[in-house]
């Protein structure tokens, strides 16, 4: 017997029929003797409809009213889910965020959860009830409804799981787990049975849009084991893990220690549309980097990769960084505008770069991970424009033309390809 | 300067554009120096959509979950209205029923308002804010959201008006007032400038679907002056009352004492689809009526007119009553089933009756009102099947074929026709 929080995203509760299907997953867990709480998103499309109305009402709306309007979506789903569960003979009731209560700060539209009172949920779960909680929302100290920002339902689910001390938090979505890379690019991409929180964070921020970063951070901080799994699978099918053995289908996101056989590399990610800008002959003196990136931050331009080499002649250096393609002109203007503070010879740059990263906690203890990457690129004649590294990630910037080839090559070189059946 | 509660129904807030139009009515009142609170319904069609989902989820749903789902509709409108008002430079905020709070009993789906705490609303209104309150809902002692039943937003508006001591409660709807009769039947129907609460109650229960009976009852009990007016009129047009003088357009529903020149008859109403059942030769002894109508009540059949004459031979009498056409068979079966308790000679009946009523508080002090009605029917050769009277109403049941003719004739005979322009 386990205590489980399950979360269903918008596509999993898009219609009453889909809600009924999702409820069968819940029933399976209840029938297995588990204590279950449910967190739901709004029906797919509903939040966009509500946001559209708010923007139509006024471009300059009070965030508190935005929240009052937009939070209604999950209330509908929670009530419908409670009704469907009751119809299946499962005792259930819905809870709006303010009813739990899920207390947040007062940053309306992007609130952070401060505290969840678990007592009512705990009492219900112990006596076999299934509480259904609205995701994405809570209540501010003022008593007004808050929302957590888009995708906040994952965060709600993790926070509820932490509050009630759940053994795991199952995130039901429209994919069946986390893959070694994008299966649309690499047909032999494999579903991972386990991935460490840190890896998931790097994967998420690099474009594997399965889980919101915030929810992974919170899960890591509170040691809440997450399972990414598909709500579209047959709820009554035998529960087979990705390793073919009985278990929970999907990918377990967990503490590194729980992963016995660590892959050196767990995944390859791709981020396209990266523009690079190089400042040549920058005077090598303290405060230069601050001046460059201060000028960009003032324009709210998000910088991704940053590379600075040591000065070759002891007097000047080159700085290269990447920004989204769409911010390229703005970034160039910002730098030119700051020319009095940033003394450089000339600026070069171009749009259309692709960043390829290999991610894996095993890198910490294994030499040669980066060199495999560079060899793979060399073998395919792909020119590496930039290299950055972190503890569990190595990234290169290459020409976008070679993006898919690079991902497929690295997937093979690191031994991630699915074996033939 | 006045304190006003204004209420907008579903068609008046059906889109963001309509909400903006409604807000201009509010702005006009604010600009005139009035203190204003707003009560809103769900966008037209939304409540039906939500109820549809609930019924799709389960025919046998928990009324508490029904309320959780259905109450979301007004929350959307309230937030959008607050945003639109702010956009017009009016300080505003939305209140869900539980935030006011509007305390109700726990009869989910058909809750009654127990108490409204006016302190927050009062404070806001005094400092020039316009609170926007969700109609149709409140919060039960358990802390769960309740709804008041369909059309409950009128009741919410009246209750809020009573709680904040409003000078009047403007009910904005898609008609511009209460008419002497249905203008689709009588082209010369006139809009009434004033109508007494008691008359409005009779009119509402007889089929003039402008206001919910409950809200009129509550307004009468708390002496809240109601104005029925159209949200579709130009908000910036000069405020001209129905008498052509400056004032509030629409119909004022108020205490009888406030109506200086009382019409003897204020309106003619028509209710179709009335089936009549006559029990002939009923033994004239105590308890017979109780047996007849008890049998019908057991089947939840709503009886409208009831007529019993004194027994002509001192031993037996005839009882006639009407029920909706759709309940006719059920009613006949119920009576036949109770034959052992109700001793009668035989039962006759037919569907397709029309009930015509003349309503007016002036009847109390004027003789001859009923006789005018009977003369009018006789002049047109219309046979009267049944007659019932109350203090301010006289009703007759006639063949449905003559319904429009009867209404038009009475409208003329009682001097209600609009004068030529």
């Amino acid at each position: 017997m386990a205590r489980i929080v399950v979360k269903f995203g918008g596509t999993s509760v898009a219609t009453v029929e889909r809600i009924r299907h999702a409820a069968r997953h819940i029933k399976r867990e209840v029938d297995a003797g588990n204590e279950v709480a449910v967190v739901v998103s709004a029906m797919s499309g509903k939040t966009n409809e509500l946001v559209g109305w708010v923007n139509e009402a006024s471009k300059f709306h009070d965030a508190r009213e935005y929240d009052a309007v937009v939070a209604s979506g999950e209330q509908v789903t929670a009530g419908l889910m409670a009704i469907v569960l009751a119809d299946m003979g499962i005792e259930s009731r819905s809870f709006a965020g303010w009813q739990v209560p899920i207390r947040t700060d007062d940053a309306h539209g992007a609130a952070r959860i401060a505290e969840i009172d678990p007592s009512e949920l705990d009492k219900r779960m112990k006596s076999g009830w299934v509480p259904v909680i609205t995701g994405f929302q809570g209540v501010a100290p003022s008593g007004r409804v808050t929302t957590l920002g888009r995708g906040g339902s994952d965060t709600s689910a993790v926070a509820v799981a932490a509050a009630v001390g759940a053994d795991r938090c199952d995130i039901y979505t429209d994919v069946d787990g986390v893959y070694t890379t994008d299966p649309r690019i690499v047909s032999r991409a494999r579903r991972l049975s386990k991935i460490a929180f840190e890896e998931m964070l790097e994967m998420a921020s690099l474009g594997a849009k399965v889980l919101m970063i915030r929810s992974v951070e919170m899960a890591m901080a509170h040691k809440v084991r997450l399972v990414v799994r598909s709500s579209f699978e047959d709820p009554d099918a035998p529960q087979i893990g990705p390793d073919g053995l009985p278990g929970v289908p999907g990918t377990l996101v967990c503490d590194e220690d729980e992963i016995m056989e660590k892959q050196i590399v767990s995944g390859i990610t791709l981020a396209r549309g990266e523009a690079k800008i190089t400042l040549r002959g920058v005077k090598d003196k303290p405060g230069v980097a601050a001046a460059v990136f201060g000028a960009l931050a003032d324009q709210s331009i998000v910088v991704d990769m940053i590379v600075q080499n040591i000065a070759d002649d002891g007097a000047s250096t080159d700085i290269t960084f990447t920004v989204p393609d769409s911010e390229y002109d703005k970034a160039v203007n910002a730098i030119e505008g700051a020319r009095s503070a940033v003394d450089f010879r000339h600026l070069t740059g171009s749009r259309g770069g692709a960043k390829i990263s290999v991610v894996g906690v095993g890198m910490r203890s294994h030499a040669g991970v980066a060199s495999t990457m560079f060899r793979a690129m060399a073998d395919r004649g792909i020119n590496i424009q930039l290299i950055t590294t972190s503890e569990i990630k190595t990234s290169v910037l290459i020409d976008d033309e070679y993006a898919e080839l690079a991902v497929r090559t690295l997937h093979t070189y690191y031994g991630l390809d699915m074996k033939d059946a």
Side-chain angles (χ1 to χ4, degrees), chain A:
Chain A
M1 201 210 80
R3 175 170 275 200
I4 310 171
V5 172
V6 302
K7 181 258 171 182
F8 293 94
T11 54
S12 303
V13 293
T15 63
V16 173
E17 205 40 54
R18 297 274 334 132
I19 292 172
R20 208 185 308 278
H21 185 84
R24 289 172 56 209
H25 285 285
I26 299 167
K27 181 166 165 51
R28 183 194 61 237
E29 301 293 354
V30 171
D31 288 349
N34 297 313
E35 291 177 4
V36 184
V38 184
V39 174
V40 288
S41 298
M43 292 159 112
S44 160
K46 279 292 152 189
T47 301
N48 286 342
E49 180 182 61
L50 295 167
V51 170
W53 285 336
V54 167
N55 286 326
E56 189 186 342
S58 172
K59 287 275 167 262
F60 310 101
H61 45 257
D62 188 323
R64 293 168 293 193
E65 301 303 344
Y66 171 97
D67 282 356
V69 172
V70 174
S72 66
E74 288 75 20
Q75 294 168 29
V76 172
T77 328
L80 294 176
M81 179 62 91
I83 290 170
V84 165
L85 286 171
D87 202 44
M88 292 180 175
I90 297 170
E91 301 223 79
S92 178
R93 78 152 271 196
S94 69
F95 287 87
W98 61 270
Q99 289 174 320
V100 174
I102 295 176
R103 297 185 205 285
T104 71
D105 60 18
D106 60 2
H108 283 272
R112 296 192 82 85
I113 295 174
E115 185 202 12
I116 295 181
D117 182 345
S119 50
E120 180 72 13
L121 301 180
D122 189 64
K123 200 179 72 187
R124 297 267 177 183
M125 291 171 85
K126 276 191 179 130
S127 49
W129 280 63
V130 173
V132 182
I133 303 138
T134 55
F136 175 64
Q137 64 194 264
V139 60
S142 65
R144 300 207 63 178
V145 171
T146 52
T147 67
L148 310 182
R150 297 307 289 264
S153 289
D154 283 351
T155 308
S156 301
V158 173
V160 167
V164 301
D167 297 293
R168 62 173 213 261
C169 178
D170 289 0
I171 308 284
Y172 284 86
T173 177
D174 47 8
V175 297
D176 65 355
V178 181
Y179 277 72
T180 48
T181 194
D182 187 339
R184 286 168 304 182
I185 295 176
V186 181
S187 59
R188 293 197 156 193
R190 278 189 298 113
R191 185 173 58 179
L192 294 159
S193 58
K194 292 183 182 177
I195 185 170
F197 289 124
E198 293 88 339
E199 292 172 324
M200 191 66 221
L201 278 178
E202 292 287 6
M203 302 277 271
S205 58
L206 293 169
K209 301 180 193 71
V210 178
L211 286 172
M212 295 299 291
I213 292 182
R214 265 172 83 186
S215 63
V216 181
E217 285 172 346
M218 186 181 275
M220 184 162 74
H222 292 90
K223 300 216 182 288
V224 173
R225 301 161 76 236
L226 296 175
V227 175
V228 177
R229 55 189 299 184
S230 170
S231 69
F232 291 81
E233 71 194 20
D234 176 8
D236 299 324
Q239 296 288 288
I240 303 293
D243 49 7
L245 302 172
V248 179
T251 299
L252 175 67
V253 188
C254 60
D255 201 89
E256 199 179 326
D257 297 341
E258 202 179 329
I259 305 176
M260 300 286 282
E261 286 195 71
K262 293 180 187 63
Q263 298 276 358
I264 298 171
V265 167
S266 290
I268 316 285
T269 65
L270 165 63
R272 310 188 97 138
E274 301 242 344
K276 69 171 188 296
I277 295 175
T278 299
L279 307 182
R280 299 219 178 267
V282 179
K283 272 279 183 297
D284 191 24
K285 62 181 182 187
V288 165
V292 171
F293 297 107
L296 296 170
D298 287 348
Q299 299 291 315
S300 301
I301 297 168
V302 177
V303 176
D304 184 8
M305 305 171 87
I306 299 177
V307 177
Q308 181 192 326
N309 230 324
I310 53 168
D312 56 354
D313 56 5
S316 74
T317 184
D318 298 342
I319 295 178
T320 300
F321 56 88
T322 62
V323 297
D325 273 353
S326 57
E327 302 273 37
Y328 178 72
D329 288 337
K330 205 168 145 194
V332 170
N333 289 337
I335 298 297
E336 296 286 4
R339 188 133 198 175
S340 60
V342 187
D343 190 6
F344 60 89
R345 209 160 46 235
H346 68 275
L347 180 155
T348 60
S350 62
R351 290 194 183 79
K355 182 174 70 165
I356 318 281
S357 307
V358 297
V359 176
V361 288
M363 280 190 208
R364 290 201 195 98
S365 48
H366 284 76
V369 175
S371 69
T372 300
M373 187 176 201
F374 308 147
R375 181 164 49 80
M377 296 296 98
D379 287 352
R380 290 292 180 273
I382 300 171
N383 189 42
I384 295 173
Q385 302 176 3
L386 279 183
I387 301 171
T388 60
T389 58
S390 78
E391 212 177 75
I392 65 165
K393 181 185 71 169
T394 302
S395 304
V396 296
L397 188 75
I398 62 171
D399 192 292
D400 188 75
E401 296 272 353
Y402 297 95
E404 290 91 347
L405 175 62
V407 171
R408 275 194 298 267
T409 303
L410 292 170
H411 202 262
T412 303
Y413 271 60
Y414 284 107
L416 297 173
D417 287 356
M418 190 160 43
K419 305 289 176 287
D420 288 319

